[in-house]
């Protein structure tokens, strides 16, 4: 029998009410399934499965019932993207019934105390954990970033288990909560230069396919030297794209980069050699994610949610022009607000593009809009959109995507554009 503290036993026995008891039963069941040695207190939780598109009525009722039972979070807890911009859903073409049910989900989560962040980049908007913090986060790219770039510790939780962890303040101590499991399983030697976020996404797609749920350790052998101070040419957006893609094509929740990420020096176990995967060309990644489309009627940027720098770049590229295809840039509410204050949203929207918050292409019901051909700079979006949104897509850099938005066509050539 797994050891539980007195307080944990009391939660399980129902002394803190049925809502906490249900949450603790879920945590203990998971701990037993995964052979955890015990439970570990968490610093924060991030709850995915917020979109009505994914949750449906059954999920909505489950959340409302839990909230009515008195479930309340006891650590900072924040929401993943919802199925629509909570304020501008009509501009997205969302049906009123969907919007009503979506608002009920948001309300149930807010009743429990979950913060209305609606983003997969909580680390950009004030919820960045510290190295060594234990978390119960559930969106795969956020989990990857928290583990790999920030050195925090989270398994990829399901929406309900992240919420249960938030309600009890604990999660099961297995997987990436355990130091030994954070060591690398594969060395990835990258011999080709990478420039755009799409290049890192294509690389991530290939590595995720190759290592599955392993822990890759990257050596970027063709890049300019990087220092842990400046991180050289490696930008935040590159790391986000790399992690998101590996979590999509594989189940990578932690990676290391030599000389860059905080646990890289720990990651290589002194015992034994690791399999080496040598990447000399990322073209195969592009080929796998790209469909032969000429005309583009929808361009989606912001998976993971756009950074301010990317919004700035898009605004500059669009300046004074007019889009032919529908252009959506998705970001967090907090970043959109800053972009608005700096005049970037107005500049983009003057061209016909839209900057939406709270949502993204994959969790919004875009299939109902009747788009036929999408362009995106996200390997994760390109990977999921045929399945989740019934959209074929072109995959390339932000610059290529903006070009496609302006012309309504994919001109194709010229990947490895310097960004
Ligand atoms: Fe984020 Fe949606 Fe992409 S949750 S990582 S923008 S699929």
């Amino acid at each position: 029998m797994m050891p539980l503290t007195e307080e944990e036993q009391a939660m399980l026995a129902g002394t803190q009410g049925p809502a906490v008891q249900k949450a603790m039963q879920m945590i203990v069941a998971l701990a037993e399934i995964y052979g955890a040695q015990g439970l570990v207190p968490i610093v924060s939780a991030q709850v995915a499965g917020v979109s009505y598109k994914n949750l449906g009525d059954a999920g909505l009722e489950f959340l409302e019932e839990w909230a009515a039972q008195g479930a309340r979070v006891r650590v900072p807890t924040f929401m993943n993207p919802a199925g629509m911009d909570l304020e501008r859903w009509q501009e997205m073409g969302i049906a009123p019934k969907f919007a009503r049910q979506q608002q009920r989900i948001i309300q149930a989560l807010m009743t429990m105390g979950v913060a209305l962040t609606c983003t997969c980049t909580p680390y950009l908007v004030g919820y960045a954990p510290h190295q060594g913090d234990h978390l119960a986060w559930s969106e795969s790219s956020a989990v990857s970033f928290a583990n790999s770039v920030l050195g925090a510790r989270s398994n990829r939780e399901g929406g309900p288990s992240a919420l249960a962890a938030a309600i009890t303040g604990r999660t099961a101590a297995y997987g990436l909560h355990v130091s030994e499991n954070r060591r690398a399983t594969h060395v990835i030697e990258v011999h080709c230069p990478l420039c755009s976020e799409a290049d890192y996404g294509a690389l991530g797609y290939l590595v995720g396919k190759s290592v599955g749920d392993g822990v890759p350790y990257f050596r970027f052998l063709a890049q300019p030297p990087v220092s842990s101070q400046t991180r050289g040419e490696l930008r935040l957006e590159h790391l986000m794209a790399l992690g998101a893609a590996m979590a999509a094509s594989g189940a990578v929740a932690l990676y290391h980069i030599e000389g860059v990420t905080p646990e890289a020096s720990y990651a290589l176990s002194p015992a034994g050699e690791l399999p080496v995967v040598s990447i000399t060309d990322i073209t195969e990644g592009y080929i796998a994610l790209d469909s032969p489309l000429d005309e583009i009627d929808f361009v989606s940027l912001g998976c993971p949610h756009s950074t301010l720098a990317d919004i700035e770049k898009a605004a500059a590229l669009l300046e004074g022009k007019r889009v032919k295809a529908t252009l959506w840039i998705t970001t967090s509410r907090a970043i959109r607000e800053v972009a608005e204050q700096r005049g970037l949203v107005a500049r983009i929207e003057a061209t016909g593009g839209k900057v939406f918050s709270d949502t993204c292409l994959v969790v919004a019901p875009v299939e109902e809009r009747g788009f036929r051909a999408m362009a995106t700079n996200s390997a994760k979006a390109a990977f999921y959109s045929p399945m989740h949104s019934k959209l074929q897509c072109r995959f390339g850099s932000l610059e290529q995507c903006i070009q496609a938005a302006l012309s309504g066509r994919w001109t194709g050539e010229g990947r490895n554009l310097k960004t």
Side-chain angles (χ1 to χ4, degrees):
M1 175 73 182
M2 187 183 59
L4 293 177
T5 64
E6 258 178 46
E7 194 192 359
E8 289 160 2
Q9 286 177 23
M11 289 186 202
L12 195 57
T15 341
Q16 297 187 17
V20 175
Q21 183 180 34
K22 179 155 83 180
M24 188 48 102
Q25 283 168 344
M26 287 168 68
I27 298 292
V28 168
L30 283 171
E32 282 168 356
I33 289 167
Y34 289 106
Q37 296 299 303
L39 307 186
V40 62
I42 56 164
V43 168
S44 65
Q46 190 243 4
V47 180
V50 173
S51 170
Y52 177 64
K53 174 176 166 176
N54 303 328
L55 219 48
D57 290 322
L60 162 60
E61 281 159 26
F62 174 82
L63 289 179
E64 286 183 334
E65 195 185 303
W66 215 358
Q69 276 181 333
R72 300 293 180 269
V73 301
R74 60 181 82 197
V75 295
T77 304
F78 20 95
M79 295 178 211
N80 206 44
M84 61 189 202
D85 186 309
L86 298 176
E87 288 169 4
R88 303 176 70 196
W89 54 269
Q90 280 160 311
E91 287 174 59
M92 292 178 68
I94 300 286
K97 180 186 174 225
F98 184 101
R100 270 195 306 278
Q101 303 300 77
Q102 181 63 73
Q103 293 290 7
R104 281 175 60 187
I105 291 169
I106 298 291
Q107 191 49 55
L109 289 168
M110 286 177 69
T111 302
M112 291 190 231
V114 183
L116 186 65
T117 51
C118 291
T119 185
C120 51
T121 59
Y123 48 86
L124 296 181
V125 296
Y127 293 102
H130 296 113
Q131 186 168 358
D133 284 350
H134 292 274
L135 319 172
W137 286 22
S138 49
E139 196 285 314
S140 65
S141 76
V143 169
S144 168
F145 194 92
N147 275 318
S148 314
V149 182
L150 303 175
R153 299 183 168 212
S154 184
N155 290 319
R156 184 184 172 187
E157 301 281 349
S161 71
L163 202 47
I167 292 164
T168 58
R170 292 151 172 80
T171 192
Y174 70 98
L176 295 177
H177 293 285
V178 179
S179 297
E180 194 49 38
N181 298 332
R182 299 180 67 83
R183 292 206 193 265
T185 58
H186 298 72
V187 171
I188 315 292
E189 293 187 345
V190 184
H191 296 274
C192 46
L194 307 172
C195 296
S196 68
E197 69 292 342
D199 283 357
Y200 281 86
L203 171 69
Y205 170 84
L206 294 174
V207 174
K209 278 259 174 231
S210 165
V211 309
D213 62 357
V215 179
Y217 178 96
F218 287 93
R219 288 195 177 114
F220 288 111
L221 300 171
Q223 296 300 92
V226 291
S227 85
S228 55
Q229 300 301 310
T230 64
R231 300 202 164 153
E233 290 284 301
L234 204 50
R235 293 174 38 217
L236 172 68
E237 293 78 6
H238 297 158
L239 296 169
M240 290 163 63
L242 177 68
M246 286 192 289
S249 67
V252 174
L254 167 65
Y255 63 89
H256 305 285
I257 302 178
E258 191 161 80
V260 176
T261 57
E263 292 172 278
S265 53
Y266 167 81
L268 290 184
S269 166
E273 294 206 342
L274 296 175
V276 176
V277 179
S278 188
I279 307 258
T280 53
D281 188 1
I282 52 169
T283 305
E284 255 184 64
Y286 273 92
I287 291 170
L289 294 167
D290 204 39
S291 299
L293 306 164
D294 292 328
E295 290 185 14
I296 299 293
D297 58 359
F298 179 45
V299 176
S300 170
L301 302 173
C303 172
H305 269 171
S306 285
T307 61
L308 197 58
D310 273 352
I311 296 175
E312 216 155 26
K313 193 187 289 182
L317 290 165
L318 289 163
E319 194 71 55
K321 302 177 180 135
R322 189 84 203 150
V323 294
K324 282 211 175 109
T326 299
L327 167 66
W328 287 2
I329 300 176
T330 49
T331 189
S332 59
R333 181 158 291 263
I335 286 186
R336 189 186 186 283
E337 272 170 25
V338 179
E340 198 161 23
Q341 283 159 14
R342 296 196 186 172
L344 301 172
V345 172
R347 279 166 61 198
I348 291 169
E349 298 203 341
T351 73
K354 296 283 181 195
V355 183
F356 288 125
S357 60
D358 314 319
T359 190
C360 76
L361 148 92
V362 175
V363 299
V366 287
E367 60 281 4
E368 288 167 17
R369 287 289 306 266
F371 297 125
R372 283 166 293 114
M374 178 179 90
T376 182
N377 65 341
S378 163
K380 175 173 177 175
F383 182 79
Y384 282 127
S385 57
M387 279 176 280
H388 286 247
S389 312
K390 302 190 173 49
L391 274 168
Q392 296 305 307
C393 51
R394 280 292 192 179
F395 168 61
S397 66
L398 184 143
E399 287 82 349
Q400 286 175 294
C401 289
I402 294 287
Q403 195 46 48
L406 292 169
S407 65
R409 298 190 65 77
W410 188 258
T411 48
E413 301 310 310
R415 78 168 171 78
N416 278 349
L417 290 172
K418 198 83 178 165
T419 59

